[in-house]
Structure formats: C-alpha cells, structure tokens
Amino acid sequence: MWKGKGGALLWMWGLRPTGVPGKRMLSYDAAMQARNNSPRCWNCGSPGGPGRGDRFFCPQCRALQPPDPSRDYFSLMDCNRSFRVDTTKLQHRYQQLQRLVHPDFFSQRSQTEKNFSEKHSTLVNDAYKTLLAPLSRGLYLVS
C-alpha cells in the first residue's frame, strides 16, 4: 500500500501508515487543511506570504505583505531576547527595515500596499524606540 510513487506522495503530504512509531495517522482532509493554512500572498495567492522567515515581500509578485501580528520586537529587529542589546546593530537593522518598508517608497503602488507599508513602518518605529531605551526594553521583556 505504501510503495511506489503514490506512497511517496502520501508520505510527503504527511499521511503515515498506522503503526509507524512517533507518527500519527492523518486524514487526507487534515493534510490538505495543513497545506492550505500556510501563509499565502494577498495579491497573487502564491505560498510564502507573511510569516515565513524575514519575508516582507511575496517571492512571486514582489507585493508587500501584511505585518505578522504575532512577531515580537526582538525577532523583528533581529536581536537576542535579552536585556543587553547591541544598539549599533539595532540602529543598522532599523535603517535596513525602513529602506524596505517606508511609505515614501510605495507612493506608486496600490492602496493596499501603501496601507501595509504604513503599518510595517509604524511597527518598526515602535520596535526601535522600545528596544533602544533600557527602561522600555526591560518593561517589554517582562510583559
């Protein structure tokens, strides 16, 4: 049953035979739902939209994606989650992100991308201000 191309395809989709240690049997519907829950681009629908690594743009159509609401300031600014932060590295990361998402660079784009750009830029500004000051950084860490 699990031999040949069909078995390999089922294995890739996450469907495992009953009795494989450490693996639970998934139904076809559960496997398809897990695949369909991967982030998709709002513009072209291709996989790899927001939430995958450090991607702000769709790899297919290069449209700016919406900000990830679950991302914390430390991961956004590429810093260790610690009270000690390299402020020089933080400043460079801030400038790098603003060159990517600042609203001035999206004046000729769609209104959706302009809105996403404003949200990203606001998020980057808030993260930078919070992590730059020791008191606000400490309060952010304990919250």
Side-chain angles (χ1 to χ4, degrees):
M1 174 181 158
W2 290 89
K3 302 201 186 250
K5 292 179 185 175
L9 196 55
L10 291 171
W11 188 267
M12 282 182 10
W13 285 342
L15 298 173
R16 309 289 196 272
T18 310
V20 175
K23 303 294 180 184
R24 69 173 201 259
M25 182 70 172
L26 290 177
S27 69
Y28 176 76
D29 291 335
M32 290 306 291
Q33 184 179 4
R35 241 174 76 199
N36 291 338
N37 283 343
S38 65
R40 296 199 168 273
C41 173
W42 65 270
N43 190 37
C44 69
S46 71
R52 291 192 63 200
D54 202 20
R55 290 197 181 149
F56 291 95
F57 298 92
C58 171
Q60 297 297 319
C61 68
R62 300 294 300 155
L64 183 65
Q65 299 300 299
D68 182 5
S70 65
R71 194 164 188 190
D72 73 330
Y73 289 170
F74 287 98
S75 66
L76 177 66
M77 301 306 282
D78 197 24
C79 295
N80 293 330
R81 190 168 177 80
S82 156
F83 184 75
R84 292 180 185 244
V85 171
D86 182 357
T87 56
T88 306
K89 182 181 172 187
L90 182 67
Q91 183 179 13
H92 283 97
R93 178 67 174 166
Y94 169 74
Q95 291 170 347
Q96 176 191 27
L97 290 176
Q98 284 296 9
R99 282 192 295 270
L100 283 175
V101 299
H102 195 275
D104 288 349
F105 299 120
F106 291 87
S107 61
Q108 301 298 316
R109 297 283 189 96
S110 69
Q111 187 60 43
T112 304
E113 283 185 278
K114 289 178 188 177
N115 293 340
F116 289 157
S117 171
E118 288 175 15
K119 289 177 184 177
H120 274 292
S121 188
T122 301
L123 185 64
V124 168
N125 284 333
D126 291 344
Y128 178 69
K129 288 176 187 174
T130 300
L131 298 182
L132 187 62
L135 179 61
S136 61
R137 183 183 329 130
L139 291 173
Y140 184 77
L141 266 171
V142 298
S143 68

